[in-house]
Amino acid sequence: MVTPEARFARERDLYLAVLRVMDAPSPLQPLQDVLTCLVELADAQRAGLELYGEGSVARREWSLFHGCSELEREEIRALTSRGIVASTIAAGKSVHTAHALLDARFASSASVKAQRLEAVLCVPLGGRLPGVLYLEGKRGAGPFSEGLVQLAESVAHFLGTASERALLQRGGDKEDPTRPFRERFQLEDIIGRSPGLAHVFAQLAVAAPLDVTVMIGGPSGTGKTQLAQALHVNSKRRLGPFVELNCAAVPEGLFESEFFGAFPGAFPGARRTVGKVEAAEGGTLFLDEIAEIPLAAQAKLLQLLQSRQYFPLASPKAFKANVRLVAASNANLEQLVRERRFREDLFYRLNVLSVRMPALAERREDIVPLVEALVERLAEENGLPRLRPSPACFAACELAEWPGNVRQLRHRLEAALIRASAEAASFLEPRHLFEGMEAQGMAPVSFHEATRRFQRDLLRRELDATDWCVSDVAQRLDLTRQHIYNLMKAFGLTRDSQPPES
């Protein structure tokens, strides 16, 4: 029986260890001391800290456990229950179960069965990377006390940043796949470090130095204009103009004069006007929403691409065009060709090299750096305080669906920053971001829905990563093959299905 004096002394030692964690240049030993104090206070079997790669609990980046040999640590790393960790990270809330083996949420986990886990407490860490503080109770000892749960939650709030520092000091942080491209090219306006974005940069690295036409695809709001600008500033035409034309915004009757320009006599009251092609001379002409070009104008655009010449309205002679053309569309141009709404010969002329900007749902690991960069930029543009989003706000942004992609995220953050500044808040909170938003997919989700989405996205990523080998996925996620098949059926996942965007 622990006396009140002994418990007080242990709590004092725990808080002193936490203070040392926050101040120490190297936080590894103080973090180990925190785990030791927690095990003693909780009378637990083991305690651990774990950090995971952004978006996947299958990729453990760093871990630290109390009182284990290196061999035992490897065994613990392999056996730590993914189901409990995934539930904790998805919901951003502690998971406390008195008997994991009897808990319907986790009883099917192979690691829970192998260890015959009873009391487990899993608490999310504060910080940029997803991580947990993990406590396992002794057999037959029963659940952890409510006071211990609250104490662990209070401590975990301070351990995330320190754990990330330990990760960096040990060289465990994963390499930024976009870094090699950022070192060679100017890409400051495109935020993120996801593999999907690195794939886009790899395509840009091929296309930018060439003077060929590039077709940019991808859903609306993903940043196709920023990619077109990046193609321009990294090309040999970087010193020339970058001219943008949104084809959807030009009335059909005015497209030709807007595009090619006009001379007096072209129509009543016409004056000499410079078209976009002439304005882009020596540089890059970016045609956004190119699917909206009228069929009659498509023929003249094709002539421009073939001959590099064009006729302004009422011009007696042809003009030579020294421009590079970059086009973009969120429509399926191949389908439009089949429907005879877009010229097939023009499609092939435009589609010399193609690059696709992925939807935000396909690169969720970019959401946190996007939120950080956008909030700072929006505060400067609007003359507002530079408020930092709270951990709950970051989590809400990661869990929310963004059908409008980066454009929608930017607009919501701008509104949130205005609301938070109006009430003199210290941080951006979820209530600022989602105030008055009742549309489906925009409000913060429930625990069960957050867990379901996390499991769905995690399973899809692991299936893609293993070329849909169910046995490999089962091993990576510490689940049975039958459970994987059941989840695939429940989430409607097939090899031909598209990743969810909402």
Side-chain angles (χ1 to χ4, degrees):
M1 185 71 178
V2 179
T3 64
E5 292 79 8
R7 181 172 182 81
F8 176 80
R10 289 178 180 177
E11 288 186 2
R12 178 203 61 203
D13 292 342
L14 173 63
Y15 283 118
L16 287 174
V18 172
L19 288 174
R20 286 194 293 273
V21 164
M22 298 169 66
D23 294 334
S26 177
L28 192 58
Q29 186 56 51
L31 285 170
Q32 191 74 66
D33 294 340
V34 169
L35 295 183
T36 301
C37 293
L38 277 171
V39 166
E40 292 177 352
L41 267 171
D43 194 24
Q45 180 73 24
R46 65 171 65 129
L49 290 168
E50 296 189 322
L51 288 178
Y52 298 89
E54 295 173 279
S56 176
V57 298
R59 190 172 67 251
R60 184 190 284 107
E61 300 285 358
W62 177 87
S63 59
L64 181 69
F65 287 93
H66 165 75
C68 306
S69 67
E70 191 56 40
L71 181 61
E72 290 171 328
R73 287 174 184 172
E74 289 302 318
E75 184 179 276
I76 293 169
R77 290 185 185 107
L79 289 174
T80 301
S81 173
R82 294 291 183 277
I84 295 174
V85 169
S87 296
T88 302
I89 293 175
K93 296 180 181 179
S94 300
V95 170
H96 180 208
T97 179
H99 205 300
L101 194 59
L102 303 179
D103 193 320
R105 295 174 295 173
F106 314 117
S108 64
S109 168
S111 63
V112 171
K113 292 178 181 178
Q115 299 175 89
R116 302 188 64 79
L117 292 181
E118 295 186 10
V120 173
L121 173 62
C122 196
V123 183
L125 301 180
R128 180 180 62 86
L129 289 175
V132 295
L133 168 62
Y134 188 86
L135 282 172
E136 289 180 14
K138 294 179 179 178
R139 298 265 174 85
F144 296 109
S145 69
E146 184 61 32
L148 190 280
V149 173
Q150 293 176 358
L151 180 64
E153 290 175 337
S154 176
V155 168
H157 178 73
F158 297 99
L159 298 186
T161 302
S163 298
E164 290 171 18
R165 281 198 289 132
L167 166 68
L168 290 170
Q169 288 176 5
R170 292 178 61 169
D173 198 10
K174 69 178 188 302
E175 183 70 16
D176 177 359
T178 69
R179 184 180 301 160
F181 303 104
R182 294 188 184 280
E183 291 173 349
R184 294 170 50 202
F185 301 99
Q186 296 181 49
L187 299 166
E188 296 82 2
D189 291 336
I190 304 178
I191 308 299
R193 49 177 293 172
S194 64
L197 196 58
H199 180 66
V200 172
F201 289 167
Q203 295 171 293
L204 179 142
V206 172
L210 306 176
D211 212 22
V212 299
T213 304
V214 178
M215 185 71 205
I216 303 175
S220 178
T222 51
K224 295 189 287 293
T225 299
Q226 285 72 27
L227 182 58
Q229 290 170 336
L231 282 166
H232 172 70
V233 299
N234 291 288
S235 73
K236 59 187 179 182
R237 294 177 175 271
R238 67 179 65 88
L239 298 180
F242 176 84
V243 177
E244 178 183 357
L245 175 64
N246 187 332
C247 301
V250 181
E252 182 172 349
L254 298 180
F255 183 86
E256 195 169 344
S257 61
E258 182 75 17
F259 195 68
F260 298 113
F263 275 72
F267 47 85
R271 295 177 296 174
R272 172 70 172 105
T273 57
V274 175
K276 297 296 185 183
V277 177
E278 187 176 351
E281 183 70 15
T284 302
L285 176 60
F286 174 50
L287 300 180
D288 198 7
E289 303 295 348
I290 198 165
E292 302 299 322
I293 294 182
L295 278 170
Q298 289 180 25
K300 297 197 174 183
L301 176 57
L302 177 63
Q303 181 186 13
L304 171 69
L305 289 170
Q306 290 176 333
S307 66
R308 294 292 171 179
Q309 292 184 338
Y310 66 99
F311 283 86
L313 290 178
S315 170
K317 63 176 183 176
F319 281 59
K320 286 190 174 294
N322 176 24
V323 297
R324 184 198 191 165
L325 195 66
V326 177
S329 177
N330 60 1
N332 186 334
L333 290 182
E334 292 178 316
Q335 179 63 31
L336 294 180
V337 168
R338 287 192 291 270
E339 296 172 358
R340 298 185 180 278
R341 294 163 55 195
F342 198 87
R343 293 182 62 113
E344 183 176 15
D345 46 7
L346 177 58
F347 171 73
Y348 289 122
R349 276 287 182 178
L350 291 171
N351 202 35
V352 178
L353 288 177
S354 62
V355 184
R356 179 183 178 274
M357 281 297 289
L360 203 51
E362 299 172 58
R363 55 184 187 109
R364 284 192 173 274
E365 53 266 69
D366 289 339
I367 290 179
V368 168
L370 270 169
V371 169
E372 291 177 325
L374 286 172
V375 166
E376 185 170 346
R377 189 178 302 168
L378 290 166
E380 183 176 352
E381 289 177 2
N382 293 284
L384 296 171
R386 295 186 176 182
L387 300 179
R388 178 167 175 78
S390 69
C393 187
F394 279 127
C397 288
E398 287 185 300
L399 287 172
E401 304 298 340
W402 301 102
N405 296 295
V406 180
R407 182 184 295 122
Q408 183 186 18
L409 177 63
R410 177 190 172 94
H411 291 165
R412 296 309 311 150
L413 288 171
E414 187 168 25
L417 194 60
I418 293 170
R419 294 189 188 107
S421 300
E423 66 177 54
S426 300
F427 294 93
L428 282 183
E429 300 290 354
R431 69 176 188 276
H432 303 130
L433 195 69
F434 299 106
E435 182 179 86
M437 298 302 296
E438 298 178 357
Q440 184 178 6
M442 283 302 301
V445 295
S446 67
F447 170 85
H448 294 293
E449 177 61 14
T451 303
R452 188 192 72 81
R453 293 182 186 178
F454 185 89
Q455 290 176 342
R456 176 198 68 189
D457 296 342
L458 171 63
L459 183 57
R460 176 82 201 200
R461 281 193 295 271
E462 295 304 322
L463 286 166
D464 288 340
T466 59
D467 196 27
W468 286 73
C469 178
V470 173
S471 296
D472 288 349
V473 173
Q475 184 176 5
R476 289 166 68 127
L477 296 184
D478 189 22
L479 297 171
T480 64
R481 291 174 71 251
Q482 187 57 50
H483 195 172
I484 296 295
Y485 281 119
N486 291 340
L487 288 173
M488 290 170 64
K489 182 178 180 181
F491 296 140
L493 295 180
T494 63
R495 192 161 192 156
D496 297 330
S497 65
Q498 295 297 313
E501 293 187 13
S502 60

